[in-house]
Amino acid sequence: MPSLYRRITVPLAATAALSLAAFTALAETPQWIWSAAEAKPNQTVYLRKTFNVQQSDAVRLQATGDDELTVLLNGKPVLTGQGWDKVQVKEVSDAVVKGQNVLAVTGTNRGGNKGAVLVKLIIETRNKGQTEIVTDASWKASETAPAGWEQVKFDDKDWKPAIALAPLGGGSWANLNEKSLAAAANLKEPEATAVKDIKLKEGFKAELLYSVPLKTQGSWVANTFDDKGRLIVSDQYGKLYRVTPPALDGKPEDTKIEEIAVEIGEAQGLLFAFGHLYAITNSDKFPRGLYRISDTDKDDKFDKVEQLRAFPNKGGEHGPHAVVLGPDGKSLYCVVGNQTPLTEMDSSRVPRHWAEDVLLPPLVGRGFMRDVMAPGGWVAKTDPDGKTWELITTGFRNEYDAAFNRQGDLFTYDADMEWDFSVPWYRPTRVCMVQSGGEFGWRSLSKKWPVRWEDSLPPVTDIGPGSPTGVAFGYGAKFPAKYQEAFFISDWSYGKLYAVHMKPEGAGYKAEFEEFMSANPLPLTDLAVSPKDGALYITIGGRRVQSGLYRVTYTGKESTAPAPLTLQGEEKQLHELRRSLEAFHGNADPGALAAAWPQLGHPDRLIRFAARIAVEHQPLATWKDKALAETSPRASLMALMALTRASNGDRAFYEPVMNALERIKFADLKGTDRELYVRVNMLAFSRFGEPADGVRKKAIGRLSSIFPTSEPWLDVDLVNVLTFLGDHAFVAKAIPILENAPTQEEQIALAQSLRFAKAGWTPELRERFFKWVCLRAPTFKGGASFDLFMQDIRKDAEAGLTEAEKVALKPILEAKPDVKAPQFTFTLKSFVKNYTVEDIEGLLGAGLEGGRNFVNGRNMFGQATCFACHRFGQEGGAIGPDLTSVAGKYSPRDLLVHIIEPSKEISDQYGQLEVTLNDDSKVYGRIMNLAGDTITLNINMMDPNALQRVDRKLIKSMDQSKVSMMPPGLLSTLNQNDILDLLAYLLSKGNKEDPMFK
């Protein structure tokens, strides 16, 4: 039998041992070309090449000419140079378009009979590797330049083929070869991020054990430990490898890498369990699914691959991701993103009557995943043979990995949609407890559910913008107890490993998180604690970026004795109650209603969710009358939610549900019950459809009379319902709220519904609304889809106008907005003062003690444009730090200093980089994304879509900038009382005495 492992010497020297097809297209050799075999003195020739691009993440141009050249891309000059030994390099991603492109080159020979140009265009695509467009005989040449010759549409059929004079490294230019070409361009071959550039919690030590050769071993995205304490890793687009780390006192160069020579790879999730290696694939080469890889003859070499379950072969990066060992030690849990539909399930803890559950058509924007409907990303349980499958939870966006805690609760780190920055349905990356029967509310486009809707589950904590990858608890690590109990989560794009510290709260958990390890860049992919040496092993890589393997150990003086987190007292009772209710999920049980019904009105949201799911699994006939007769307001609302969902749109329930809602007095409801009341109305209209006139009239009477409530997001939901119902009275009350709301998220949420309002308009109200649509909304900033979302609002709103209204509104419809800065209000504020800390700090004592106006504080948060960058509660931007929890982190004076002097102390989490390029030019910003050798930076925190791409090979240095991205002077239009209200608003989040925070 041939060896199933091939030893690869470290460091790897032989680059031809593996096929490059899995990593990159074969490199083309550029030729020196001209229009003829010999050049004329002072001659200029014109050369062009058309090519097609369907996708590109980074495009780099290298060019040189004997004696001069200018390169144009799609008619745009992008590079000039003189002297054939002086290679010019330029990042030209922004000049490339999807479809047909043209490279056009003017070459000039100043003397002698040797004229030539050499060009290499390198196109990198994260999923397909690298392709190159190079100068060769396929180019067209001319000694004259007709008009438009540099454009794609120019017809060059009369041009002659270019003459290839010599390959790179040959002819009169032999001194310039592949190696010297890179050296002349000062290109730097990427290496795994150096340890000296990594920030790590005090007392911990990081080692770079292995910098992965990209061309031969790819970019590692998944890892797991086998039963002998060796790592098994997978290249995202290639093979599996086995890694034997050196001893803790050994040297990195002793790391042993072995190729696993079985026909499987491209795994995004790996798990060694039950004596086998399990792999989850999300690729075309190895069809998406769960695989088991075995060593059948026990010779320590894998020799058998079985696909235990094929998943629907759909989706891109949002597909199958991870496989996790169940807490019972007898089962597997599979983690799958929202682009892969459910596999066939034998049972489901999630009631199988999911729907979109929104009332009005969504905003489409770029239309990403517009055809994908509920249930979204999912987690399922199976046995070691992959025979029986049970659906556990749904509604995630793109949860990449998961891990169980000691109590047997599963946690994941779900992804955000960065294209949705600064719109009301944006949801930051978040840690979620994967609760039985769960629904986390992901829907495509603008249909995502807000956390306030109780038919979904809340996160344990929001993290912020990022790209979630591998997660793991620190169990078994030789770390201080705090970090043994931590939930470690990886953010790929921002290069941060967070330690999330969870404590029981009610039937679930609350959490705080801190940055444990970070660097720029540090594209974290996976992590695992070694059962052999107690160290934390971390891989970086993915999307063909430079990959590496690191080991983190603790070298401090704290005790590393375990101190397991345990459930006690009330939390223990509530967790046990939740689990007892979850036992009824997925099956009809005679005892379910008796156990679950009393808990529908429970104060704990997770308990009443678990109770409702238990009820929904029971035959409808056994509890429908009970639901309609329930008199306790909260229990009634939960029961009506269950009935509305479980009735599968049966309109026979329409009027009874409405009558039951009529009996509930909104004025008697408080806090979350008010939100729940409006949400149940929304669900009923969504599930049962257009109401009959009598039902509609009664519903309008109930809901229009309570609007507005002065609770911003409750009013947003009411505007949505009243628009659907066609109420005549609410528009006159909604427009002032739209005009004066302090955040663009709240304004957009209102306009998103108002664009379909058909009743209640007057000429004045139409004018005020379209001033918002045409003059204010275009000044707002957001993610990549933002402008298209605003265009959708305008298009739908204009479609509702009569011809006479279009004529009357023509001056507004044709007006050009001033888009220089966000304009959250039409009420202009004048300059007051450029404040110093000394101007305000004397007022912070008695000035913040009671009587402050939180509503005005929220308004000032908008006026000072804080909401443009910062999230507070469930609204605001995503580029700056989330300020929801500042009350527990900063004193009033510290917070004031951060606002007035933003560069005095810059948050590590949100500081910007100063990137110096080879030509000594500088780019400032935060890393937002990576692909191959390209780093994408946000260069303006006021505009999430202000991006600049930088080629990593062209970077001389990257350092933390000493200048904050946050501009000074944000308080200059506020008076002192406004500033105190703003500080009180930020520092009093969660104050139970104020209705703003109930």
Side-chain angles (χ1 to χ4, degrees):
M1 176 183 291
S3 172
L4 295 178
Y5 288 100
R6 178 172 53 79
R7 176 69 183 269
I8 299 176
T9 305
V10 180
L12 191 80
T15 60
L18 290 175
S19 168
L20 297 182
F23 310 101
T24 180
L26 291 175
E28 300 285 345
T29 300
Q31 306 281 320
W32 292 94
I33 64 172
W34 199 250
S35 62
E38 293 188 354
K40 302 170 186 177
N42 297 314
Q43 179 189 27
T44 297
V45 301
Y46 307 90
L47 304 139
R48 52 179 275 132
K49 171 77 173 181
T50 58
F51 58 98
N52 190 278
V53 174
Q54 290 304 309
Q55 181 184 352
S56 66
D57 293 301
V59 185
R60 182 173 66 250
L61 177 66
Q62 294 174 247
T64 185
D66 187 357
D67 294 289
E68 301 172 8
L69 91 165
T70 297
V71 182
L72 302 95
L73 188 47
N74 296 324
K76 176 184 177 182
V78 291
L79 181 150
T80 61
Q82 294 183 344
W84 65 267
D85 56 344
K86 296 180 177 64
V87 179
Q88 306 298 316
V89 184
K90 189 75 176 286
E91 165 66 46
V92 293
S93 301
D94 293 339
V96 173
V97 299
K98 184 175 181 179
Q100 283 294 108
N101 293 257
V102 62
L103 269 172
V105 180
T106 63
T108 301
N109 175 48
R110 291 302 181 193
N113 63 355
K114 294 296 183 184
V117 299
L118 183 141
V119 176
K120 178 192 285 190
L121 187 75
I122 302 166
I123 303 169
E124 293 183 351
T125 305
R126 67 182 63 157
N127 294 329
K128 297 181 180 179
Q130 179 175 299
T131 57
E132 297 178 356
I133 308 298
V134 300
T135 42
D136 57 23
S138 69
W139 284 55
K140 294 293 189 72
S142 173
E143 295 179 1
T144 60
W149 75 275
E150 74 280 15
Q151 301 295 330
V152 171
K153 294 182 179 179
F154 177 76
D155 186 356
D156 59 12
K157 66 180 180 182
D158 294 330
W159 285 32
K160 59 185 179 181
I163 301 299
L165 304 174
L168 175 66
S172 301
W173 311 275
N175 288 340
L176 189 68
N177 52 37
E178 280 287 354
K179 185 175 181 179
S180 59
L181 178 68
N186 199 20
L187 297 179
K188 295 176 176 60
E189 281 299 323
E191 296 180 349
T193 303
V195 169
K196 67 179 180 60
D197 296 325
I198 295 175
K199 293 188 64 175
L200 195 60
K201 291 297 293 185
E202 186 177 354
F204 290 86
K205 171 189 173 184
E207 301 171 84
L208 173 59
L209 297 183
Y210 190 57
S211 188
V212 181
L214 180 63
K215 289 186 177 180
T216 55
Q217 294 178 351
S219 198
W220 294 355
V221 295
N223 63 56
T224 187
F225 278 99
D226 68 12
D227 55 352
K228 294 182 174 60
R230 301 168 299 190
L231 270 173
I232 298 174
V233 300
S234 179
D235 169 24
Q236 185 175 3
Y237 307 109
K239 295 180 176 290
L240 302 178
Y241 299 90
R242 190 166 71 181
V243 181
T244 303
L248 292 180
D249 58 355
K251 299 178 180 179
E253 52 265 33
D254 294 332
T255 303
K256 178 183 176 183
I257 313 295
E258 299 170 286
E259 178 187 309
I260 298 178
V262 289
E263 195 57 29
I264 189 66
E266 304 189 7
Q268 296 215 347
L270 294 172
L271 171 70
F272 192 91
F274 315 117
H276 305 282
L277 175 65
Y278 290 89
I280 287 271
T281 60
N282 183 21
S283 75
D284 295 324
K285 182 177 180 181
F286 303 105
R288 292 170 175 82
L290 173 65
Y291 291 81
R292 181 168 61 190
I293 303 127
S294 307
D295 172 11
T296 61
D297 57 7
K298 308 301 180 185
D299 64 350
D300 202 27
K301 298 178 179 66
F302 293 114
D303 53 27
K304 182 181 179 182
V305 177
E306 308 166 81
Q307 187 184 65
L308 301 182
R309 172 59 65 97
F311 296 148
N313 202 32
K314 294 181 180 179
E317 292 186 335
H318 296 206
H321 290 310
V323 54
V324 180
L325 181 65
D328 59 3
K330 302 176 182 179
S331 57
L332 303 172
Y333 285 71
C334 294
V335 177
V336 182
N338 62 3
Q339 283 185 313
T340 296
L342 292 174
T343 186
E344 183 179 345
M345 298 290 170
D346 299 285
S347 60
S348 175
R349 296 189 197 177
V350 182
R352 298 180 193 247
H353 43 246
W354 46 74
E356 299 301 284
D357 288 330
V358 293
L359 287 177
L360 301 175
L363 298 172
V364 175
R366 292 187 172 189
F368 181 65
M369 295 184 64
R370 64 186 300 170
D371 297 325
V372 177
M373 303 299 168
W378 47 277
V379 176
K381 177 183 178 182
T382 187
D383 60 90
D385 296 322
K387 299 294 186 184
T388 59
W389 287 74
E390 180 182 32
L391 182 62
I392 303 297
T393 305
T394 61
F396 294 112
R397 180 176 182 267
N398 191 27
E399 79 290 27
Y400 189 86
D401 198 2
F404 282 96
N405 71 357
R406 296 188 193 276
Q407 286 70 40
D409 291 316
L410 183 64
F411 294 86
T412 190
Y413 180 26
D414 196 16
D416 65 346
M417 174 53 160
E418 67 275 14
W419 290 0
D420 290 352
F421 281 168
S422 303
V423 293
W425 56 92
Y426 171 73
R427 307 194 309 182
T429 68
R430 52 196 198 154
V431 172
C432 300
M433 184 176 75
V434 185
Q435 190 168 327
S436 170
E439 160 66 81
F440 282 88
W442 176 85
R443 298 296 185 268
S444 62
L445 309 176
S446 64
K447 296 179 292 182
K448 298 175 188 68
W449 296 1
V451 172
R452 62 183 180 272
W453 289 358
E454 284 214 22
D455 37 341
S456 68
L457 288 165
V460 175
T461 187
D462 287 341
I463 301 296
S467 298
T469 48
V471 305
F473 278 94
Y475 304 148
K478 293 180 180 178
F479 290 176
K482 175 181 180 180
Y483 295 101
Q484 292 183 42
E485 296 298 309
F487 182 48
F488 289 97
I489 60 174
S490 305
D491 175 2
W492 181 85
S493 58
Y494 290 107
K496 299 184 185 299
L497 180 65
Y498 295 104
V500 181
H501 305 290
M502 283 185 271
K503 293 182 179 179
E505 182 176 69
Y509 300 83
K510 64 179 179 180
E512 296 179 351
F513 63 92
E514 61 176 328
E515 191 177 299
F516 180 81
M517 177 180 180
S518 66
N520 288 295
L522 192 70
L524 299 154
T525 54
D526 207 359
L527 65 160
V529 175
S530 168
K532 187 174 182 180
D533 61 28
L536 181 64
Y537 287 78
I538 299 167
T539 50
I540 66 170
R543 292 186 180 172
R544 305 184 194 281
V545 303
Q546 178 59 49
S547 193
L549 172 64
Y550 298 83
R551 178 167 62 191
V552 174
T553 51
Y554 181 65
T555 59
K557 297 181 179 179
E558 285 188 50
S559 169
T560 57
L565 178 70
T566 58
L567 295 171
Q568 297 178 346
E570 184 181 3
E571 274 78 21
K572 182 178 180 180
Q573 294 174 7
L574 289 173
H575 279 247
E576 289 174 349
L577 174 58
R578 170 171 60 81
R579 291 195 179 94
S580 71
L581 294 169
E582 291 170 353
F584 298 112
H585 294 180
N587 58 84
D589 189 302
L593 292 178
W597 203 271
Q599 309 305 333
L600 289 175
H602 197 283
D604 189 292
R605 178 171 174 176
L606 303 189
I607 296 292
R608 57 182 182 266
F609 183 96
R612 177 176 59 80
I613 297 301
V615 169
E616 289 185 25
H617 277 294
Q618 308 314 307
L620 184 60
T622 64
W623 58 272
K624 59 183 178 62
D625 294 336
K626 189 177 179 67
L628 293 169
E630 177 63 54
T631 57
S632 171
R634 179 180 290 173
S636 175
L637 290 169
M638 294 300 292
L640 293 173
M641 175 179 282
L643 178 60
T644 301
R645 286 165 42 87
S647 60
N648 289 317
D650 185 347
R651 289 177 64 90
F653 288 102
Y654 213 147
E655 194 162 353
V657 168
M658 291 292 108
N659 290 338
L661 287 168
E662 288 276 354
R663 295 197 303 269
I664 299 173
K665 303 304 180 186
F666 182 81
D668 295 337
L669 302 178
K670 296 180 181 180
T672 58
D673 289 346
R674 293 158 69 90
E675 294 277 8
L676 181 57
Y677 177 84
V678 177
R679 178 55 180 162
V680 173
N681 278 273
M682 296 173 73
L683 270 176
F685 299 135
S686 173
R687 292 282 178 139
F688 298 137
E690 289 287 339
D693 288 343
V695 171
R696 184 190 303 273
K697 185 176 179 179
K698 280 188 175 182
I700 288 175
R702 276 189 299 110
L703 298 171
S704 187
S705 63
I706 64 176
F707 176 77
T709 66
S710 298
E711 296 176 37
W713 293 100
L714 183 58
D715 284 342
V716 163
D717 287 348
L718 280 168
V719 167
N720 186 263
V721 178
L722 293 170
T723 297
F724 172 81
L725 292 173
D727 176 33
H728 287 71
F730 88 98
V731 171
K733 296 180 284 185
I735 294 299
I737 300 174
L738 171 72
E739 292 173 325
N740 296 303
T743 77
Q744 72 180 46
E745 286 86 355
E746 184 183 347
Q747 293 179 31
I748 292 167
L750 293 165
Q752 185 183 353
S753 296
L754 284 168
R755 80 193 203 271
F756 288 122
K758 293 181 171 57
W761 292 104
T762 65
E764 180 204 0
L765 292 173
R766 282 289 197 198
E767 181 177 320
R768 290 164 66 182
F769 180 62
F770 275 91
K771 279 184 177 179
W772 185 92
V773 170
C774 300
L775 300 178
R776 196 193 303 187
T779 72
F780 295 163
K781 304 296 181 183
S785 291
F786 189 85
D787 290 343
L788 293 176
F789 287 137
M790 297 305 100
Q791 291 172 30
D792 286 346
I793 290 178
R794 176 169 180 163
K795 178 185 66 178
D796 291 335
E798 287 188 25
L801 294 175
T802 65
E803 291 303 316
E805 287 173 324
K806 290 178 182 177
V807 171
L809 293 170
K810 185 176 180 181
I812 297 173
L813 297 175
E814 295 182 353
K816 300 296 182 185
D818 181 359
V819 296
K820 293 178 182 178
Q823 184 181 340
F824 295 126
T825 174
F826 286 129
T827 305
L828 298 178
K829 295 287 186 177
S830 58
F831 174 81
V832 176
K833 183 177 182 179
N834 278 325
Y835 292 97
T836 64
V837 174
E838 290 72 23
D839 292 331
I840 306 296
E841 62 180 344
L843 307 173
L844 296 180
L848 291 176
E849 293 179 359
R852 296 261 53 107
N853 186 336
F854 289 170
V855 173
N856 185 54
R858 179 173 180 264
N859 290 337
M860 293 306 101
F861 199 70
Q863 182 180 314
T865 67
C866 306
F867 273 124
C869 308
H870 298 284
R871 196 166 182 85
F872 191 74
Q874 294 299 320
E875 57 188 345
I879 300 299
D882 188 323
L883 301 182
T884 306
S885 60
V886 292
K889 297 178 180 178
Y890 299 110
S891 69
R893 188 184 187 281
D894 289 339
L895 183 58
L896 184 68
V897 170
H898 277 290
I899 296 172
I900 294 179
E901 301 175 5
S903 293
K904 186 170 184 178
E905 183 180 343
I906 302 172
S907 166
D908 291 336
Q909 187 179 354
Y910 291 93
Q912 67 175 341
L913 285 174
E914 178 183 284
V915 180
T916 304
L917 304 179
N918 288 339
D919 61 2
D920 290 326
S921 63
K922 295 182 184 293
V923 180
Y924 295 89
R926 291 184 62 214
I927 292 180
M928 299 286 286
N929 211 337
L930 303 156
D933 290 333
T934 297
I935 296 173
T936 302
L937 299 127
N938 171 262
I939 57 174
N940 178 4
M941 70 184 301
M942 291 282 191
D943 183 359
N945 208 30
L947 305 175
Q948 183 167 335
R949 288 185 279 194
V950 177
D951 192 323
R952 194 173 177 184
K953 289 186 176 181
L954 303 180
I955 294 174
K956 182 185 292 185
S957 64
M958 289 193 296
D959 302 291
Q960 288 293 326
S961 173
K962 296 180 181 179
V963 179
S964 173
M965 294 183 78
M966 178 176 166
L970 296 179
L971 303 182
S972 62
T973 62
L974 279 58
N975 62 41
Q976 290 184 349
N977 276 329
D978 290 336
I979 294 173
L980 292 175
D981 285 346
L982 169 61
L983 293 173
Y985 169 67
L986 292 173
L987 292 169
S988 302
K989 185 65 177 173
N991 186 335
K992 300 297 190 294
E993 302 300 318
D994 193 278
M996 172 76 72
F997 303 128
K998 285 189 177 180

